Amino acid sequence: MRRTRNLILMVAAAGILGGSVLVAKGMLGDGEGGGTGPLAGSFQDAPKASPTPTGPTPEELAAIERAKRVKALDAALKAYASGKPEFSVAVFDRKTGQTYAFRGEEKYETASVVKVQVLACLLLTAQDDGRKLTTSEKSLADKMIRYSDNASTTSLFGKIGRYTGLTACNKRLGLTQTKVNSSWGLTRTTVKDQVKLLDQLVDDESELSEASRTYAHKLMSTVSPDQDWGVPAVAKTGEDATVKNGWLPRSTESNLWIINTVGQVTGDETDVSIAVLSHTNKTMNGGMALVEKVGKMTRTYLKY
């Protein structure tokens, strides 16, 4: 009886032990035939977990949205340009560091917007000499910018070294697409260069000192009321606008009008430089309406 009981215990123990070995083999997947133990499927056949989707970053979403706005603005300006005098426009947004340009490489004669370049060069020249503007220079600069006085411009153009002096200053200011003419109003430029120049009037890292930048802003934000058109039309109530306009019936183009406007719009949510250059306008008023319309379109689509 004792012998029979012992035999039963031994058989039971062997069965338990044998089962444990089979399970282990199955769990390790090293059973005969590639692992056929009772848990083999749990390890060999379980589907891999999918990575958690992250989606585009906020920066990527912003870039996608901007690309859509740029494409829409390109299309709108192209449609508007059909049958209109030729124009170009550029906007530099200091908040994003991005520049938008439509026909940004086209060159136009500046007419009186070159007076901003003359002012910047006058200020740089005084800085280089370690001095402030003289009373006479301030009077001339005031007339040149606020009233677009040509005689004052010619006088200051001479003081800064005429063609050579203005060309050297333009290089310092990063204007690579501007060609100075000895007849200063026929200087040729692009909208891209003009927004670069405008940014130099506000950038802390500009070669122009804070005092020089403040002075330029003072003049360009207080132009004569009859010249307060162009870029200021883009500004909303409560925003600040600076401007310098240019207008000239061009004898070489059947006395059709060059109409240009450059300036800045700033506010709590806005800090942009804008340049619109155009020519072959039939009338001055028609050209003024064109540049204002184009400026407003950039704001509508770019939402600055």
Side-chain angles (χ1 to χ4, degrees):
M1 190 71 177
R2 182 179 296 174
R3 181 180 177 183
T4 301
R5 183 184 177 196
N6 290 340
L7 182 59
I8 292 172
L9 290 172
M10 289 175 63
V11 171
I16 293 171
L17 199 57
S20 298
V21 171
L22 289 174
V23 169
K25 284 187 177 181
M27 290 174 68
L28 294 173
D30 60 355
E32 187 177 351
T36 57
L39 297 182
S42 299
F43 285 81
Q44 292 184 355
D45 303 327
K48 295 182 179 179
S50 300
T52 302
T54 58
T57 65
E59 292 76 13
E60 291 169 336
L61 287 173
I64 292 170
E65 179 61 26
R66 174 176 169 77
K68 290 180 180 178
R69 292 175 182 174
V70 167
K71 184 176 181 180
L73 178 55
D74 281 343
L77 288 172
K78 185 176 180 180
Y80 179 70
S82 179
K84 296 289 192 304
E86 185 180 11
F87 66 83
S88 294
V89 59
V91 176
F92 174 66
D93 189 334
R94 285 180 55 80
K95 289 186 176 294
T96 65
Q98 295 176 319
T99 297
Y100 170 85
F102 178 78
R103 294 175 177 167
E105 307 296 328
E106 295 294 322
K107 289 184 170 62
Y108 297 78
E109 290 170 331
T110 58
S112 287
V113 297
V114 74
K115 294 170 183 177
V116 181
Q117 292 170 235
V118 174
L119 174 63
C121 191
L122 175 68
L123 294 168
L124 279 177
T125 300
Q127 286 179 202
D128 291 344
D129 293 341
R131 64 176 180 83
K132 298 180 180 179
L133 296 186
T134 65
T135 301
S136 174
E137 288 171 336
K138 283 186 175 181
S139 176
L140 292 170
D142 182 276
K143 293 176 184 176
M144 177 178 70
I145 298 298
R146 298 184 64 229
Y147 300 97
S148 205
D149 183 72
N150 291 336
S152 298
T153 307
T154 298
S155 179
L156 291 176
F157 187 58
K159 283 180 175 292
I160 63 176
R162 300 182 61 80
Y163 172 92
T164 302
L166 188 55
T167 298
C169 287
N170 286 345
K171 184 176 181 179
R172 290 174 65 180
L173 294 167
L175 309 188
T176 59
Q177 299 175 327
T178 299
K179 176 70 174 176
V180 179
N181 192 297
S182 56
S183 296
W184 47 262
L186 302 183
T187 293
R188 293 179 65 80
T189 191
T190 67
V191 287
K192 284 187 175 181
D193 257 13
Q194 287 302 299
V195 293
K196 284 183 183 178
L197 173 61
L198 292 165
D199 188 54
Q200 290 292 312
L201 299 179
V202 294
D203 191 349
D204 290 340
E205 297 183 1
S206 167
E207 286 208 45
L208 291 165
S209 68
E210 182 178 359
S212 291
R213 298 194 305 271
T214 299
Y215 181 68
H217 180 274
K218 176 184 176 182
L219 295 183
M220 293 180 67
S221 62
T222 56
V223 298
S224 175
D226 64 317
Q227 297 179 27
D228 191 23
W229 50 268
V231 170
V234 181
K236 296 178 180 179
T237 301
E239 292 180 333
D240 179 66
T242 65
V243 69
K244 183 69 197 81
N245 296 314
W247 58 97
L248 176 70
R250 191 71 173 101
S251 59
T252 58
E253 296 180 344
S254 302
N255 285 318
L256 296 175
W257 286 80
I258 293 170
I259 301 292
N260 301 325
T261 186
V262 300
Q264 293 162 318
V265 175
T266 55
D268 292 340
E269 303 296 329
T270 304
D271 191 352
V272 298
S273 299
I274 308 170
V276 188
L277 306 177
S278 72
H279 70 142
T280 68
N281 294 279
K282 291 182 180 180
T283 66
M284 181 176 176
N285 286 339
M288 291 166 59
L290 180 141
V291 297
E292 289 186 347
K293 169 70 173 179
V294 170
K296 290 177 180 179
M297 288 175 70
T298 66
R299 183 155 205 175
T300 297
Y301 285 87
L302 297 179
K303 299 186 184 303
Y304 54 78

